Structure formats: structure tokens, C-alpha cells
Amino acid sequence: MLPETATLRLHAAALRSTRWLLWPGPCLLLLASLQAGEWRLQTASAIAMLLQSWFCWRLQLDAALLAALENAPSLTVLDDTINGLFGKAAAGRDFGQRQQGMRRLLIRFFMTTALCWILAICAIMLPMA
């Protein structure tokens, strides 16, 4: 009952590509920190960046699990692995439910990325005004 290999590869590639969205955040925060002022926005941006990094790590983990799933005979192998590593029982969830979880995680990542960038840009622009 596993989805086709091409679908798994496409999902894994899409999730892996999100890591490139991390790079503008530290650069923007560095530019903001070079200017005097708005330390609250800089702090909020740094906190948003930490949350963004957490979501990105989770997405990279999901991408690796999808890649490993290509060779697994069933989802029970994946469930056993997750349970062994994290002590988290994921049994009983079909692939559709897992995709929903990945989709929610991806949306959270995009929202924290936008928040991080907006806060950093505001921290840069406000002292100029």
C-alpha cells in the first residue's frame, strides 16, 4: 500500500529544498544588528529564526524518512524505526495522514519564514525612517 517511488522521491525533494529558505534570515538579522536601534525586533526575528530552524530540521527528517521508505516493504518498518528512535508510537496512521502532517509542518515552516524575514526587514528599515 505504499505510494509509487516517483511520488516518494518528489515529496522528499520538495521537503529537502526548504533548507535554502533558511539562509536569508541570518543575513537579514546580521544587517539589522549592524544598525543601532530596534533590539526588540531583532530579538523577535532571532526567536522566529530558531523556530524556523526547528521546522526545517523536522522537514529534513521527513524527507529522509520518505527516502528510506522507498526500500521499506511497509509502513510498519517506518513505525518501528520512529518508535525505536524517539519512543513515539505512530502506528495506525496511513500514508495520507502522514502527508497531512507533513503539509501542516510545511505550512508552519513557511509562516515562520515569512515572520522571520518581515521582522528582520522591519528591524533594518525602522532606524532609517
Side-chain angles (χ1 to χ4, degrees), residues 29-88:
L29 190 59
L30 178 63
L31 284 174
S33 66
L34 292 176
Q35 297 179 352
E38 294 311 315
W39 63 271
R40 287 182 206 102
L41 286 174
Q42 294 172 8
T43 304
S45 179
I47 291 169
M49 197 178 310
L50 288 173
L51 190 57
Q52 176 197 28
S53 298
W54 167 255
F55 287 137
C56 188
W57 176 80
R58 293 276 316 272
L59 288 171
Q60 301 310 307
L61 178 63
D62 283 349
L65 289 173
L66 286 175
L69 193 57
E70 284 183 42
N71 301 323
S74 68
L75 288 174
T76 57
V77 174
L78 181 64
D79 290 340
D80 293 343
T81 303
I82 291 172
N83 192 18
L85 285 174
F86 302 112
K88 183 177 182 180

Side-chain angles (χ1 to χ4, degrees), residues 2 4-16 59-73 78 95 102:
L2 292 176
E4 296 178 16
T5 303
T7 303
L8 287 174
R9 287 182 183 164
L10 181 62
H11 287 357
L15 293 178
R16 275 193 306 271
L59 288 171
Q60 301 310 307
L61 178 63
D62 283 349
L65 289 173
L66 286 175
L69 193 57
E70 284 183 42
N71 301 323
L78 181 64
F95 192 74
M102 289 179 212

